[in-house]
Amino acid sequence: MYYYANEQPPQVLKTYRAALYIRLSRDDGDKPESDSVVNQKKLLTHFVESQPDIELGEIYVDDGFSGANFNRPDFQRMMTDLYAGKVNCVIVKDSSRFGRNASESGRYIGEVFPRLQVRYIAVNDAIDSGKSQGAAIDFLNNSMRGMINEYYVAANSENIRSTLNMERRRGDFIGSFAKYGYKKGPSDHHKLVIDEPAAENVKLIFKMYLSGMGIRAIVRYLNDNGIPNPSTYKKLNGMNFKARTIGDSSLWSDKTVRRTLQDEMYIGNMVQGKCQKINYKSKATRECPPEEWIRVRDTHEPIIDKDDFERVQQMLGKHVKGSAKSGSVDLFAGLLKCADCGHALIKKTNHNPDKDYTYYRCSTHCKCKSACSAHTIRFERLYHCVLYCIQQMVDIAVDADEVIDEIRRNQAVAKSTVDIEKQIQSQEQELDKVKNLLADLYPDFKSGLINADQYQINKEKYEQEQARLQANIDNLKASFADSDAPNKTNDFIEHFKRHGNIDALTRPILAELIDRIVVHQDGTLDITFNFCDAFQT
């Protein structure tokens, strides 16, 4: 039947089947009492009972899910039912229960629901798409509500991040699971204590690497001997840990061993904040660069000695691989360079009936004989040359240490460091006074208290005095530094002196003391030692 524009059609009451959607999340700053699942359910069912055109269809509950995104199980189940036509009205306590992402909430309310002819009601916000006040007003109401709701989750996310960073800077451990080798303290879960069985495996990994074993050889040893990797160890100890691995997650990998060898946590330093959520709308994370990590020294008992840890870092920095057969790292791997092309020298062995001969040759020459010359050097000659040079450097370090000890015993410092500090403090106070006088000079001139000539004379006088005081302070600080110099440790002396009476080369010693060995075509060597800067000072 048709009706003309000037005629009033009879009223037909449409009945809606309602989907009551309930959501609660502490991450959004929800109030447990007023926003509880029970209270939301009671409010919504009472509302439906008071509406003659709405009947209860289904109740959907997402308890513990953030409103920052819509990847929630019962929300997705509700959307499936809406598309299937099982329900055609969505009712929430307020817009924040529906979602706290303004753009996504607006898309559902403004695009998806109208296309599906779904009615949307937010009870406490007095929003009802079935009783539209006009497109412009509805858009404004929904947009304002969406922005307010998203602001709350953004602000709450920022507050949580600030609190966690404050705890990290305090040296408190805030992770869900302690680093392998440690466990959370029984009385304070923000403190770490050593977990002996796992700590012994960490010590074993460092010991094997320092002995010259490559990372692959260490991985093979751990797996062959049935030593559980960190994720498996956590599961065996009853922790609900989920590893992000492909394939057999119980095996050690090169990556896991390398990370273990590089981790400062094992020398007692707390290192956190390595990953960060991209933003409050997503659970996706990004890896932060090392300079953004939050480090606090000496927060827990170390498992690895700091000197051993530093030697391991030096060895790792050489970027070498272990032998495919034995897994061990060659004594000179990563140290030998060709003087002409700059590329590495590689190890070769000639097998003769009476004796095997091992030598090193330019890798470029091995690939293309016309590209570079051989730069060949026998292992025995290289070994003895390097050993002799290190022995000479050790003797120099011992002699230098004796000289410094003599200076410490006989040096008569004209003024104690305490006196120098007092003089610096006094001169700095005088400098502050002059700076204040200089700062007040121009306002006095502008106000007429002094004339232009007086202003210029006083300005020059104060500037000269300021320069004199600053020079005095600089000289005193230099004197203070010089007076303390004999008491400072020298890296060159400390590292070389510890190898007194050295009569054999080892991989850890070479990695610690030598930066590179350049081999010339005539067999001469240029050895660059570590800590050269300290030696020159």
Side-chain angles (χ1 to χ4, degrees), residues 1-10:
M1 182 177 292
Y2 297 98
Y3 297 93
Y4 292 97
N6 58 352
E7 294 180 349
Q8 187 71 25

Side-chain angles (χ1 to χ4, degrees), residues 16-23 40-61 75 78 82 87-99 109 113 118-130:
Y16 290 90
R17 283 184 57 77
L20 308 187
Y21 182 70
I22 297 167
R23 187 188 64 80
Q40 289 185 60
K41 186 175 181 180
K42 188 184 298 183
L43 173 73
L44 297 183
T45 52
H46 179 71
F47 175 81
V48 170
E49 290 169 357
S50 67
Q51 303 299 309
D53 56 342
I54 303 175
E55 63 181 21
L56 179 60
E58 182 67 76
I59 298 176
Y60 305 85
V61 180
F75 182 86
M78 180 182 73
L82 288 172
V87 287
N88 59 357
C89 178
V90 175
I91 305 178
V92 293
K93 176 196 169 191
D94 55 54
S95 297
S96 67
R97 302 303 93 214
F98 184 75
I109 297 169
F113 289 175
V118 170
R119 184 178 176 183
Y120 171 74
I121 300 173
V123 177
N124 286 357
D125 293 341
I127 294 175
D128 184 349
S129 64

